[in-house]
Amino acid sequence: MPSDVLRHAREKADVKQSTLAKTLDTNASFVSRLEKGGPVEPAFAERYLRAVGGPIADDVLEYYRREWAHSEPPSYLHPDREHLWRVEQTLQHLAAFEQSPQNHPILADTISTMRDDLSSVLRYLERLDHVIAWVGDIGVGKTTALAHAARLLAPDAKGMMRSVFPVGSGRITVCETMIKTAPAFGVAVEALDEESIRNLVNDLIHSVAKGKVTVPAEVTRVLRNMSGYQSNRVEVNDEFETRDPIADALAAGEEPAILADKMIAAMNLPSRRETSLALSEEAEDGMQWLARTISRINIGLDPRFSLPRRITVLVPSSSLREAGDLSLVDTKGVETITQRPDLRGYIDEPRTLVVLCSKFPDAPNMTVQRILRENEESGSDAAERNRIALLVLPRGDEPMHVLDQGEPPTSGAEGRAIRRDEIHHALAGAGLPKVKTYFYDAHGDKPEIVWSNLRAQIGLMRQVHIDRLDRTAQAVSELVADVDIVKTRGARKGLEESFDRLIERIVEMPPVRRPAHQNLVDQFDDVHQSSVAASMTRRGNWPNFSIFHILGVGVRQDANLRSADHLSRIEHALEDAELQYGELADVRAMIGSLRDRVAAWRQEFLQQAQSIGSDAFRGVLSEETKLWSDSVARYGTYVPGYKKSLSEMWNDFFESSKPDEARAAIEARLKDAWDSTIIEPLRAATRAASDLADVEDAA
């Protein structure tokens, strides 16, 4: 039995270690060592719990007497232990029925499906790890809110508690930051490779030469500090002027390539190989050490570290531990474009809660609305499965300034309630899904408020799987209690025939509804021109404007449109089957499970569509040297309408015959994906048991 369960029982019974030690005829130090050690032998654990006494101790004893045959028993402290016990019990009932005389080969597929459904629930619920990804505009305040919520604070020079992460009005954090719990304070850095750093240095030099901004300010700061090419201010005739050593070198005739070599050499990248640092949990200045270390890495002043791609912060945080095995991600601030590979990865991840942050006055802001709309257009189930929430960040008395029918609120709480209603009306008016909306004032609210809300939201994510358990457990009970083999045989044969007819109608994908490149053309309108320029220089590989990701999303959006009618036909067929065969428990169970599976198959198909689009267009565009060079040449020519010009250039390319081979490859691979993720699984799910019946008839 786990020692922490014993300690939990003792603490809940309000029994001191010294008192328990006397009852056990030992000493308090032994009890202390026992509770901090590993698993305890069952006999002594029972003696310990009987000595503790009380309802919790009795409950623990009863729990560990249960017989688990199909899965490992979770700890008594697991919050979903009773749901996991229901999974185990249902698997036991199913196994017993499978060996009983009431079973029949025609039920093999139904039993297998039920077992798979229960195993899926088990795999999700037994794990407690989740990621909470905070997403928001540059300068929205998400980093400050996250730091205060996680109590990652340290005193500044004036003794004021500040975030251990560099914060400001925006353009401060150089990369994504992940926060994880650990026994000790630590920092780990995943650095960019040398080629990526060299590309950024070249961009910086060319941007200085042309007077155009192509490298984000926070990255520019790191590059200059790492290389020693910082701008500085000098006093000239009682006034200060800014001197830029890069501009001075170029003005003196230095070739950009030579200057880039000098800057890279000055960085001394071979010496910047450090990847992690750690500090003992007992260190009194742990938070201050984190603040200093993160700050120096973030601005390129720590000579041990290179330019970071991601910083992972390890903290012995009670807030994170109490909320479960959580990891927090402070994503890079959004700069108009939300179709980023990192954001899509978090949205599609089943164990990740995406928290969309918005200021109080403009919630839901355009970034929130854009993400929700793109989520719908791409067919993602993230909002439906409660994996997206809105976190509004009020400041001070902002809630007191909202009006309800011309009248101010009587309290901040009422002001927040009014604002929540306005947000929901705004989302509904824009045709967007209603998502849970929470509020958190980093400087005025207790962190427990936001953790309570986020834990509740993760509970909603897990509830989706508990609901599936409820449906499956009920289906197993009904199957065991009432089996009519004769009717089942007829029903399954009828289902096979009706779904065979349906599959004939939906086996072919409809033609293209929305060309994939239209998504790219649309994104040109929203993106900052410096991001476009950076992407063109790197042949589309720039995270803030990833050409191939955006084209992949375009293919996914089109696949979602093209498959919508077919998927609706499948749902209608399932509804018809429920009406016709609903009195048969095993058939009803099969239909319910099939509905869940179709939803999962749809997500798999759409994710494959996105990958197919990205890969196919990457292949054809890798050979279009002139398209890339012309796109790069357009930047910095001082000709108005740079983005519009590129939008037209790229649209003309995609409207030509040049990408035909890529489009044909996409169609062929989409057909294969549709067959492998939807058609064949649907055919197998509605045919397997009927085939068994045919074999018996032939015998």
Side-chain angles (χ1 to χ4, degrees):
M1 188 179 298
S3 58
D4 58 346
V5 173
L6 299 181
R7 184 177 66 251
H8 171 79
R10 178 184 59 77
E11 291 174 347
K12 287 296 182 181
D14 198 22
V15 176
K16 295 181 179 179
Q17 287 182 338
S18 57
T19 303
L20 178 61
K22 291 179 181 179
T23 306
L24 293 173
D25 195 21
T26 184
N27 54 61
S29 61
F30 172 80
V31 174
S32 178
R33 290 195 304 273
L34 179 80
E35 293 180 350
K36 293 179 181 178
V40 179
E41 289 295 325
F44 190 83
E46 182 171 351
R47 182 183 169 204
Y48 176 106
L49 290 167
R50 292 198 181 283
V52 167
I56 298 297
D58 292 342
D59 196 39
V60 171
L61 282 169
E62 184 277 327
Y63 177 76
Y64 281 100
R65 290 194 189 105
R66 297 173 182 176
E67 295 292 333
W68 298 69
H70 299 275
S71 58
E72 288 294 320
S75 168
Y76 177 83
L77 300 179
H78 195 295
D80 288 324
R81 66 178 184 274
E82 293 302 327
H83 295 303
L84 293 169
W85 173 238
R86 286 182 62 216
V87 173
E88 171 66 27
Q89 287 181 304
T90 307
L91 286 169
Q92 291 182 16
H93 294 160
L94 198 58
F97 175 78
E98 198 170 16
Q99 300 301 317
S100 72
Q102 288 78 22
N103 189 20
H104 188 278
I106 200 173
L107 301 175
D109 182 56
T110 299
I111 292 172
S112 177
T113 297
M114 289 175 166
R115 185 176 288 113
D116 289 346
D117 289 349
L118 291 166
S119 297
S120 175
V121 172
L122 173 66
R123 287 193 299 271
Y124 193 93
L125 292 183
E126 67 183 354
R127 290 172 52 185
L128 293 174
D129 60 300
H130 290 278
V131 174
I132 303 179
W134 297 52
V135 178
D137 286 335
I138 292 172
V140 78
K142 66 179 173 61
T143 301
T144 297
L146 187 156
H148 279 261
R151 294 190 176 91
L152 296 177
L153 308 171
D156 62 12
K158 297 181 180 179
M160 300 290 292
M161 299 303 290
R162 303 290 186 188
S163 163
V164 299
F165 306 113
V167 295
S169 58
R171 295 290 185 193
I172 303 297
T173 306
V174 73
C175 65
E176 174 182 284
T177 302
M178 174 169 277
I179 302 100
K180 294 184 174 182
T181 57
F185 292 98
V187 175
V189 174
E190 299 174 38
L192 288 176
D193 58 68
E194 184 172 343
E195 181 182 358
S196 297
I197 295 175
R198 180 175 289 275
N199 287 337
L200 287 169
V201 169
N202 285 326
D203 286 350
L204 175 58
I205 292 171
H206 286 294
S207 70
V208 172
K210 295 183 178 182
K212 293 278 188 176
V213 177
T214 57
V215 181
E218 64 275 19
V219 177
T220 295
R221 184 185 307 115
V222 178
L223 295 175
R224 287 182 178 275
N225 286 339
M226 286 175 60
S227 63
Y229 279 71
Q230 303 98 328
S231 297
N232 56 80
R233 285 177 289 275
V234 297
E235 187 174 1
V236 179
N237 299 326
D238 297 328
E239 294 185 359
F240 284 89
E241 296 180 359
T242 299
R243 297 285 173 84
D244 182 352
I246 297 177
D248 292 345
L250 293 171
E254 189 85 81
E255 288 293 327
I258 301 299
L259 180 56
D261 289 340
K262 289 182 177 180
M263 290 182 67
I264 292 293
M267 290 179 179
N268 194 12
L269 294 178
S271 70
R272 295 176 177 270
R273 302 295 189 191
E274 189 66 74
T275 58
S276 62
L277 299 173
L279 186 70
S280 170
E281 181 180 1
E282 285 76 25
E284 294 182 3
D285 66 341
M287 287 296 179
Q288 291 179 319
W289 176 83
L290 273 183
R292 292 193 303 270
T293 303
I294 296 169
S295 176
R296 289 180 62 79
I297 294 172
N298 184 71
I299 60 177
L301 289 179
D302 191 320
R304 297 167 294 183
F305 293 92
S306 186
L307 178 60
R309 182 177 66 86
R310 172 192 272 187
I311 297 174
T312 299
V313 179
L314 306 175
V315 291
S317 170
S318 58
S319 296
L320 298 186
R321 285 174 179 164
E322 291 167 2
D325 185 10
L326 294 184
S327 297
L328 307 181
V329 177
D330 182 19
T331 62
K332 279 283 291 176
V334 173
E335 185 181 16
T336 66
I337 287 295
T338 53
Q339 288 187 21
R340 292 180 358 201
D342 61 327
L343 300 185
R344 171 50 57 190
Y346 289 126
I347 290 172
D348 284 343
E349 166 53 46
R351 305 194 70 82
T352 296
L353 169 60
V354 175
V355 177
L356 304 179
C357 299
S358 184
K359 293 181 178 179
F360 187 88
D362 62 352
N365 64 21
M366 291 307 299
T367 292
V368 169
Q369 295 188 46
R370 189 178 293 118
I371 288 175
L372 291 175
R373 188 173 305 285
E374 290 168 355
N375 183 72
E376 294 294 293
E377 291 174 347
S378 66
S380 171
D381 61 357
E384 175 188 348
R385 290 177 171 255
N386 302 308
R387 300 200 309 267
I388 298 179
L390 175 58
L391 183 63
V392 182
L393 306 174
R395 298 179 182 180
D397 64 349
E398 284 181 339
M400 295 299 296
H401 294 285
V402 299
L403 298 177
D404 182 23
Q405 298 184 1
E407 296 294 326
T410 58
S411 66
E414 185 184 8
R416 294 184 182 196
I418 294 170
R419 195 77 187 91
R420 180 183 288 109
D421 290 342
E422 292 174 343
I423 290 168
H424 291 163
H425 286 313
L427 292 176
L432 298 173
K434 179 181 178 181
V435 295
K436 285 283 187 178
T437 301
Y438 305 108
F439 295 84
Y440 179 59
D441 181 348
H443 299 288
D445 293 338
K446 294 180 179 179
E448 291 77 12
I449 292 176
V450 71
W451 286 121
S452 175
N453 290 331
L454 295 182
R455 280 198 299 270
Q457 189 70 31
I458 289 175
L460 293 176
M461 291 167 54
R462 298 176 71 86
Q463 186 63 45
V464 170
H465 299 269
I466 294 171
D467 291 344
R468 187 175 184 182
L469 168 60
D470 291 340
R471 294 193 298 272
T472 307
Q474 181 178 352
V476 170
S477 297
E478 292 173 350
L479 174 67
V480 171
D482 182 20
V483 178
D484 189 327
I485 298 300
V486 174
K487 290 184 178 179
T488 292
R489 288 161 67 95
R492 297 304 291 267
K493 189 66 177 177
L495 278 173
E496 178 186 347
E497 292 172 352
S498 64
F499 273 87
D500 276 351
R501 291 192 296 271
L502 171 65
I503 288 171
E504 288 180 7
R505 297 177 61 196
I506 66 172
V507 70
E508 296 295 334
M509 287 280 291
V512 172
R513 294 273 302 276
R514 186 176 188 268
H517 72 272
Q518 186 60 51
N519 185 50
L520 176 62
V521 171
D522 292 345
Q523 297 304 307
F524 273 113
D525 293 337
D526 298 325
V527 67
H528 192 278
Q529 64 178 10
S530 63
S531 292
V532 177
S535 183
M536 297 304 155
T537 301
R538 291 164 180 76
R539 290 181 166 239
N541 294 303
W542 181 245
N544 283 344
F545 194 65
S546 172
I547 298 294
F548 308 112
H549 175 75
I550 292 170
L551 287 170
V553 171
V555 172
R556 176 173 176 158
Q557 291 173 343
D558 177 56
N560 184 45
L561 289 171
R562 295 165 68 182
S563 62
D565 288 345
H566 283 355
L567 290 164
S568 292
R569 290 188 178 98
I570 295 175
E571 174 57 29
H572 292 155
L574 292 172
E575 292 173 354
D576 290 344
E578 283 177 325
L579 290 174
Q580 188 171 0
Y581 306 114
E583 78 280 2
L584 298 173
D586 62 302
V587 178
R588 189 166 61 249
M590 185 274 285
I591 294 170
S593 177
L594 186 54
R595 179 175 283 113
D596 288 336
R597 287 168 180 247
V598 169
W601 297 339
R602 173 175 178 255
Q603 293 303 307
E604 183 180 354
F605 168 68
L606 294 174
Q607 289 174 24
Q608 284 193 29
Q610 181 173 318
S611 178
I612 288 168
S614 296
D615 291 346
F617 284 122
R618 186 183 298 275
V620 69
L621 289 173
S622 66
E623 301 175 359
E624 292 297 326
T625 303
K626 188 175 186 303
L627 178 63
W628 293 113
S629 60
D630 288 349
S631 298
V632 171
R634 286 290 298 162
Y635 190 67
T637 57
Y638 300 99
V639 176
Y642 167 68
K643 292 194 301 178
K644 185 174 185 295
S645 174
L646 253 64
S647 175
E648 293 172 351
M649 183 189 304
W650 280 75
N651 188 66
D652 289 344
F653 168 79
F654 280 104
E655 294 290 344
S656 73
S657 61
K658 291 181 179 180
D660 282 353
E661 185 176 342
R663 284 191 279 257
I666 288 171
E667 285 304 301
R669 292 178 64 187
L670 273 182
K671 173 67 167 63
D672 289 343
W674 179 252
D675 286 344
S676 63
T677 60
I678 303 292
I679 297 299
E680 292 309 319
L682 183 62
R683 194 191 307 275
T686 55
R687 179 182 296 275
S690 188
D691 284 345
L692 286 173
D694 291 342
V695 170
E696 287 192 344
D697 289 340

